[in-house]
């Protein structure tokens, strides 16, 4: 197994990425290898600084970097030797089994769609994230930012993708799938949710339990919550703020500690032909480590093949 990492992506790159890779290396068995893509001279310097042998990694040298503020499509085309573009090239050629980056989110989405491409049958790939439950378990919400505008059939597919993600990554048996809405009643909601509800109600693709509200996010009513990426991203950013707010108020709480973005590392792009994970722009070494471990789990679970089977 070979897990690729863009070491030039993120606000604190390359140092945070390299330090995170070092910690990941210590946690991986000998048959799981890390491929670091970026400025190899900087990688070697950081490794030397902390007394770590850079030869433990496979280094792929690149000199171009896609900045966080660059236009995704233009940057991918104009910078074919950037760490993100080279990483997707390696993924397409099968030279790495997964690729992750805390860099330009748009470039990662564009690279996924135009390099490894969407799985046949998937209308719109999406991004899920983990949601901590008050009872101690976890749930999934999707989409959290890849698709600001969606149609009913797209949300129906998100239900399938979320079900498979919850089953194979978080080991949730027959996950309950809910549709995010402003009320539980079938007749509530905007045009999108009103049109989506009957599709989900009639499907046998997953265990649909009806509409759920924002207050149900952290209880056990649903294991998978489906929404468009505009709504999901707002919910995600609000949830991430809980951890910061409790720290600023001097509070120490086990539940709110689970909202620390470092613990889940990143969000995969579900619905493309290879494991791709996007990390938070402010990723710390701990977040990078967990992003790489999530990449590993996507490979070992065989999730991509299971999604392909579901959409045949």
């Amino acid at each position: 197994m070979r897990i690729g990492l863009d070491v030039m992506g993120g606000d604190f790159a390359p140092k945070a990425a390299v330090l995170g890779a070092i910690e990941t290396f210590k946690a991986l068995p000998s048959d799981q290898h890390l491929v670091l893509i970026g400025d190899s001279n900087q990688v070697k310097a950081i490794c030397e600084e902390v007394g770590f042998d850079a030869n433990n990694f496979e280094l792929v040298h690149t000199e171009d970097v896609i900045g966080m503020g660059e236009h995704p499509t233009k940057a991918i085309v104009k910078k074919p030797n950037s760490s993100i573009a080279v990483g997707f090239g390696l993924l397409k050629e099968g030279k790495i089994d997964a690729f992750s980056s805390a860099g330009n989110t748009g470039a990662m989405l564009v690279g996924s769609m135009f390099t490894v491409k969407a799985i046949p049958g998937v209308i719109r790939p999406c991004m899920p994230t983990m949601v901590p439950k008050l009872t101690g378990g976890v749930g999934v919400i999707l989409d959290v930012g890849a698709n600001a505008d969606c149609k009913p059939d797209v949300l129906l597919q998100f239900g399938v993708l979320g079900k498979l993600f919850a089953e194979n990554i978080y080991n949730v048996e027959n996950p309950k799938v809910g549709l995010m809405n402003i009320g539980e009643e079938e007749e509530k909601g905007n045009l999108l949710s009103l049109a989506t509800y009957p599709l989900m109600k009639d499907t046998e693709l997953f265990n649909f339990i009806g509409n759920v509200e924002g207050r149900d996010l952290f209880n056990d009513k649903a294991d998978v919550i489906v929404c468009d990426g505009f709504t999901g991203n707002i919910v995600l950013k609000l949830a991430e703020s809980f951890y910061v707010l409790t720290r600023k108020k001097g509070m120490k709480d086990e539940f709110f500690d689970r909202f620390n973005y470092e613990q889940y590392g990143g969000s995969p792009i579900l619905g493309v032909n290879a494991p791709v994970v996007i990390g938070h722009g402010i990723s710390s070494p701990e977040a990078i480590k967990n992003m790489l471990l999530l990449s590993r789990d996507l490979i070992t679970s065989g999730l991509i093949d299971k999604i392909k089977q579901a959409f045949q």
Side-chain angles (χ1 to χ4, degrees):
M1 180 190 300
R2 301 167 81 238
I3 305 168
L5 171 65
D6 164 27
V7 295
M8 309 309 291
D11 294 347
F12 307 114
K15 190 165 188 176
V18 176
L19 294 179
I22 291 172
E23 291 306 308
T24 308
F25 172 82
K26 298 174 183 176
L28 294 178
S30 58
D31 62 340
Q32 298 177 2
H33 308 284
L34 296 178
V35 180
L36 274 50
I37 305 153
D39 189 331
S40 58
N41 295 321
Q42 293 192 57
V43 172
K44 291 175 183 177
I46 295 167
C47 288
E48 184 177 352
E49 182 182 323
V50 297
F52 183 82
D53 186 358
N55 291 319
N56 288 314
F57 302 130
E58 180 179 336
L59 303 181
V60 177
H61 182 72
T62 64
E63 294 185 354
D64 285 345
V65 178
I66 295 177
M68 299 295 271
E70 292 191 63
H71 188 281
T73 306
K74 292 179 180 178
I76 287 283
V77 173
K78 291 182 177 180
K79 293 184 174 181
N81 294 317
S82 65
S83 51
I84 287 179
V86 170
F88 275 114
L90 295 172
L91 187 63
K92 180 181 180 181
E93 295 167 6
K95 294 180 179 178
I96 55 177
D97 300 300
F99 180 51
S100 60
S101 173
N104 187 307
T105 298
M108 290 293 289
L109 289 168
V110 170
S112 296
M113 292 299 293
F114 289 96
T115 307
V116 295
K117 303 184 183 305
I119 290 170
V122 174
I123 304 170
R124 293 277 191 90
C126 64
M127 295 170 58
T129 194
M130 180 272 287
V131 177
K133 297 293 188 177
L134 195 58
T135 53
V138 297
V140 174
I141 182 171
L142 73 169
D143 180 31
V144 294
N147 305 279
D149 296 297
C150 296
K151 294 182 179 180
D153 53 350
V154 172
L155 292 187
L156 179 68
Q157 288 195 351
F158 289 174
V160 177
L161 293 169
K163 170 202 171 186
L164 293 170
F165 185 65
E167 283 179 336
N168 291 281
I169 301 301
Y170 297 122
N171 300 313
V172 181
E173 185 176 351
N174 191 28
K176 298 171 290 185
V177 179
L179 177 65
M180 178 65 81
N181 209 332
I182 58 172
E184 296 181 355
E185 298 84 358
E186 185 173 347
E187 65 274 9
K188 288 283 185 73
N190 57 13
L191 293 175
L192 176 60
S193 57
L194 287 170
T196 302
Y197 190 98
L199 295 180
M200 290 189 167
K201 182 179 180 181
D202 294 341
T203 191
E204 296 182 358
L205 297 172
F206 49 79
N207 177 21
F208 181 56
I209 52 89
N211 289 326
V212 295
E213 299 180 78
R215 63 187 175 189
D216 298 313
L217 195 62
F218 310 116
N219 62 33
D220 292 324
K221 184 172 183 179
D223 303 301
V224 176
I225 295 179
V226 174
C227 60
D228 61 83
F230 184 88
T231 302
N233 192 263
I234 291 173
V235 171
L236 171 63
K237 298 296 173 59
L238 175 63
E240 287 181 345
S241 73
F242 293 164
Y243 174 74
V244 177
L245 290 173
T246 55
R247 289 294 180 177
K248 286 184 176 179
K249 297 292 288 185
M251 298 168 55
K252 177 68 176 175
D253 182 272
E254 183 179 348
F255 175 66
F256 287 115
D257 284 348
R258 297 174 65 204
F259 286 85
N260 182 358
Y261 79 95
E262 293 179 323
Q263 293 194 17
Y264 54 85
S267 298
I269 303 177
L270 294 182
V272 295
N273 282 295
V276 177
V277 181
I278 300 176
H280 207 301
I282 59 170
S283 287
S284 64
E286 179 68 14
I288 295 293
K289 173 187 173 182
N290 285 321
M291 178 173 68
L292 290 169
L293 293 177
L294 174 58
S295 299
R296 185 269 309 273
D297 292 343
L298 291 172
I299 299 168
T300 57
S301 67
L303 178 62
I304 305 302
D305 287 336
K306 291 172 183 176
I307 293 175
K308 290 178 180 179
Q309 293 170 9
F311 282 86
Q312 282 183 348

